[in-house]
Amino acid sequence: ESAFVKALAQDPACPAKCLEYGTLLSSEGRFAEAVPLLERHLAWDQRNVPAARLLALDLMKARDYNRAIPYLESVVQRVPKESHFVMLGVAYLSAGRRGEAIATFRRMATFDVGSAELQQLSRRLEDGANHPEALSNLQEFAFWMARGWM
């Protein structure tokens, strides 16, 4: 960690080290410290999907769903895959944007219309979005889906 602090002191723009240091802090659960570093990295490299995913995940773990949403929207647009749709839908739902959550879960189902498993997941997520008491389970599921993001 001290090596990162020294590197940031020498280059505050931190084009490379912000992501590495932010990832380290995220892995330690230090989201409040990781978020500004990841934001700085994305200001430098706006198309970095892993950095945007990690930032969104950290923001969601810090319960700042509204700030996570634009990063997740960008991630889904660039790399439309199951875990990205789930995280975006759950972020919408957690931010009180139920209609957008349901639309996201439905859109996920169109991603691979031949996959019965994906169709079933989409229906279950949509059903969960209609039951406010299921929100904590959906959040837990989303975090489980994002377990490989770090």
Side-chain angles (χ1 to χ4, degrees):
E1 185 173 352
S2 64
F4 285 120
V5 172
K6 288 177 186 176
L8 290 175
Q10 292 175 351
D11 183 9
C14 73
K17 297 301 176 198
C18 275
L19 179 57
E20 292 176 36
Y21 190 25
T23 301
L24 171 71
L25 293 171
S26 294
S27 71
E28 294 177 349
R30 296 164 59 185
F31 309 121
E33 295 170 78
V35 164
L37 291 168
L38 296 170
E39 288 174 327
R40 283 169 61 187
H41 179 80
L42 283 168
W44 175 75
D45 182 7
Q46 298 170 1
R47 300 190 58 81
N48 188 314
V49 170
R53 279 191 326 204
L54 183 55
L55 175 56
L57 180 60
D58 284 358
L59 289 167
M60 286 182 69
K61 286 185 176 180
R63 301 193 183 284
D64 196 346
Y65 303 105
N66 283 312
R67 280 183 58 205
I69 288 170
Y71 297 107
L72 290 168
E73 290 171 336
S74 173
V75 166
V76 164
Q77 182 179 9
R78 289 192 175 112
V79 184
K81 68 181 208 175
E82 184 180 355
S83 65
H84 297 165
F85 281 108
V86 170
M87 285 297 281
L88 176 58
V90 170
Y92 280 137
L93 194 59
S94 299
R97 297 163 62 176
R98 188 179 148 277
E100 290 167 284
I102 290 171
T104 299
F105 298 142
R106 287 180 180 164
R107 188 170 150 224
M108 179 180 71
T110 67
F111 173 62
D112 182 0
V113 293
S115 169
E117 183 179 298
L118 188 61
Q119 303 305 311
Q120 182 181 17
L121 175 61
S122 173
R123 285 190 299 276
R124 285 186 174 180
L125 290 168
E126 186 177 341
D127 183 53
N130 289 315
H131 299 285
E133 68 278 4
L135 180 59
S136 65
N137 289 335
L138 290 172
Q139 290 168 337
E140 186 178 315
F141 177 68
F143 292 138
W144 179 81
M145 291 285 293
R147 67 196 178 282
W149 288 12
M150 276 195 222

